[in-house]
Amino acid sequence: MIKILPNCIGCGKCVSICPFGALSLVNGKANVNSACTLCGSCVPNCPVKALQMPPKEEEVKDLSAYKDVWVFVELVNAKGALKIRPVSLELLTKGRKLAAELGQNVCAVIIGADNGAHFAELSSYGASKIYSVQDPAYAQYNTEAYASAMVKLISKYKPAAVFYPSTYTGRDLAPRIAAEMFVGLTADCTGLSVKNGNIVQTRPAFGGNIMADIICPNHRPQMATVRPNVMPKEITAQGSMAQIIEEVVPVSPAASKVRVLKTEKDEVGEVEQLDEAQVIISGGRGLKTKENFEIINNLACVLGGAVGASRAAVDAGWKAKEHQVGQSGVTVKPKLYVACGISGALQHIVGMQDSDIIIAINKDANAPIFNYAKYGIVGDVQQILPKVLEAVKQTKK
Ligand code: FAD
Ligand code: SF4
Ligand code: SF4
């Protein structure tokens, strides 16, 4: 908090200046509360120089002990078998490039019950070391257990940076680790680069209107969650095998208090997999009602795909936020993306433009979405979609 010196004359100038409402006059003197963010705005406005910022933490930390770029590997259950979520491989690909610039290694960290099955794949995506914590108790993701294992590994090996997928698991896990390690965390990054030995973490800010570059020069590790599908994944070391470092971390007592009794999947086109879906049927404001969205669900179901939505459809309450595709939603890269009644606003396009094939259905022949579509159908979605659904059902017979 800002320091108020005894020479305050109680003029009240600072009270109106503070953008956080942290100052008030009490008994004729300025008084500060815990809302003070130390922004410094009030300091130059005091006529008697009675406001003082606390001395900066000038302590020069020795960060040289912190080396290597780590990627937390997320496993998902796909049709009964555990597989690595593609975003972890995207992070390894990127991590390898960053580590090369820093003259360090990229390392994978995997926590689970049977990790050995994934070592070859992680190695082929460039991991030069794999830290493996294996125990039947880690078979299912558990916030406390995984966070506690990660904290132990980070404290012991001191990585310079740790990246997590910006998925439900990554978003749950990373903040807890950041809080325990007392370091920062940049959420939902769309870009990572290196400048002056620091990782520049780029993410949309102010509702996506600007891109912010965030650095963490004084603390280690630098930590970020990164969105799926914003970075390419690339096999870089086919056939090679990383150094495996097995660590035994007993499950923390706090974690053993929590048991997952049942896992229930979401409705059709389970949202968790929107970012990995090969087929996405998306609806926009052109659908007009929530009930009309049903046909999107049905088509996605018949094609074995996921359901997407524009922000207008989400704002209208026709679909949950998790289905939103775009700048402030999910970035997708399916083989087939069908945009139904979506105009093609830039904020939607940036989230789906890398789809292999885009089909647009819109009654307005001049809708911008047609500039990105490989195939376009001009017409009323209410008339076209039932026919498409019927045709798909027929071909599936
Ligand atoms: P509209 O733009 O209203 O388009 C509806 C379309 O449906 C029109 O082209 C119309 O011709 C067509 N149509 C109408 N009736 C029919 C019919 N019967 N048959 C066929 N076609 C029909 N948007 C996103 O989608 N994702 C984001 O992540 C996102 N983030 C944003 C972030 C910021 C900071 C801002 C400012 C905006 C963001 N938006 C986002 C909103 C975006 O700008 C658009 O407003 C939104 O994408 C429009 O959704 P829409 O295409 O469904 O609706
Ligand atoms: Fe308010 Fe900023 Fe002054 Fe703190 S430093 S009292 S937040 S104006
Ligand atoms: Fe006191 Fe300075 Fe604030 Fe006036 S501007 S109330 S003198 S701290």
Side-chain angles (χ1 to χ4, degrees):
M1 282 193 284
I2 196 88
K3 192 171 176 197
I4 297 160
L5 302 178
N7 60 321
C8 166
I9 54 170
C11 71
K13 250 183 148 186
C14 57
V15 175
S16 54
I17 281 163
C18 175
F20 300 97
L23 290 165
S24 58
L25 284 182
V26 177
N27 298 331
K29 294 262 184 195
N31 182 56
V32 63
N33 65 38
S34 59
C36 173
T37 62
L38 287 176
C39 72
S41 306
C42 56
V43 176
N45 290 290
C46 174
V48 294
K49 296 194 176 11
L51 294 161
Q52 199 179 65
M53 293 284 271
K56 275 200 180 141
E57 224 187 285
E58 287 297 350
E59 182 200 347
V60 179
K61 290 203 178 120
D62 179 15
L63 303 176
S64 61
Y66 292 84
K67 286 207 167 48
D68 294 347
V69 172
W70 282 18
V71 172
F72 170 77
V73 176
E74 184 178 340
L75 300 172
V76 275
N77 203 325
K79 296 183 182 123
L82 277 183
K83 68 163 190 121
I84 299 170
R85 274 199 92 149
V87 58
S88 308
L89 304 174
E90 291 161 15
L91 281 174
L92 273 177
T93 307
K94 185 68 178 182
R96 183 175 168 139
K97 289 179 188 149
L98 300 173
E101 275 190 65
L102 292 164
Q104 299 174 8
N105 293 308
V106 65
C107 311
V109 187
I110 182 164
I111 302 174
D114 184 16
N115 299 340
H118 307 291
F119 291 165
E121 190 176 6
L122 294 172
S123 306
S124 71
Y125 278 88
S128 41
K129 289 182 195 168
I130 298 173
Y131 294 94
S132 166
V133 179
Q134 186 170 306
D135 191 292
Y138 291 112
Q140 236 169 352
Y141 173 72
N142 173 309
T143 313
E144 295 274 0
Y146 275 50
S148 154
M150 284 297 290
V151 167
K152 290 220 168 77
L153 293 183
I154 293 170
S155 308
K156 180 169 177 187
Y157 292 102
K158 302 194 171 13
V162 188
F163 302 133
Y164 307 81
S166 197
T167 55
Y168 288 127
T169 299
R171 285 174 176 155
D172 179 63
L173 179 66
R176 186 170 284 258
I177 298 166
E180 283 197 42
M181 303 290 311
F182 214 68
V183 295
L185 172 72
T186 309
D188 258 351
C189 289
T190 53
L192 295 169
S193 54
V194 171
K195 195 174 177 187
N196 301 331
N198 292 307
I199 305 283
V200 180
Q201 304 156 40
T202 306
R203 57 150 297 154
F206 295 104
N209 290 312
I210 60 160
M211 298 304 279
D213 283 345
I214 293 157
I215 55 165
C216 179
N218 299 325
H219 296 87
R220 293 291 183 269
Q222 303 154 92
M223 302 224 303
T225 63
V226 180
R227 277 199 193 193
N229 291 323
V230 294
M231 292 165 187
K233 66 177 190 323
E234 199 185 318
I235 291 180
T236 47
Q238 185 84 60
S240 68
M241 186 49 98
Q243 179 192 353
I244 312 296
I245 299 155
E246 302 272 5
E247 281 290 323
V248 178
V249 184
V251 172
S252 64
S256 49
K257 287 185 194 154
V258 180
R259 277 188 303 138
V260 179
L261 300 178
K262 194 172 159 199
T263 308
E264 274 188 33
K265 290 279 180 194
D266 192 16
E267 46 173 272
V268 185
E270 32 189 84
V271 290
E272 198 187 2
Q273 307 209 349
L274 187 59
D275 56 5
E276 288 175 24
Q278 295 300 303
V279 174
I280 296 175
I281 316 295
S282 251
R285 204 190 319 257
L287 265 297
K288 304 232 164 40
T289 65
K290 188 172 184 170
E291 291 67 41
N292 288 346
F293 229 95
E294 202 45 40
I295 192 141
I296 301 273
N297 296 341
N298 291 341
L299 187 56
C301 189
V302 173
L303 289 169
V307 176
S310 72
R311 176 151 146 188
V314 169
D315 288 349
W318 304 339
K319 238 23 220 173
K321 167 82 177 154
E322 289 82 358
H323 290 265
Q324 185 179 313
V325 172
Q327 184 180 299
S328 45
V330 182
T331 306
V332 299
K333 228 189 239 178
K335 289 204 166 82
L336 175 66
Y337 188 87
V338 186
C340 310
I342 292 176
S343 60
L346 199 60
Q347 293 89 352
H348 188 82
I349 297 297
V350 293
M352 45 64 85
Q353 63 189 346
D354 290 332
S355 308
D356 287 354
I357 295 175
I358 297 170
I359 300 178
I361 307 172
N362 198 303
K363 69 175 186 186
D364 176 6
N366 295 316
I369 190 77
F370 288 124
N371 297 331
Y372 303 90
K374 182 156 186 180
Y375 304 103
I377 305 171
V378 179
D380 187 340
V381 274
Q382 297 310 327
Q383 290 173 11
I384 293 163
L385 280 178
K387 289 181 187 153
V388 174
L389 181 60
E390 199 44 47
V392 173
K393 280 183 179 165
Q394 289 302 325
T395 51
K396 287 223 151 195
K397 272 186 185 165

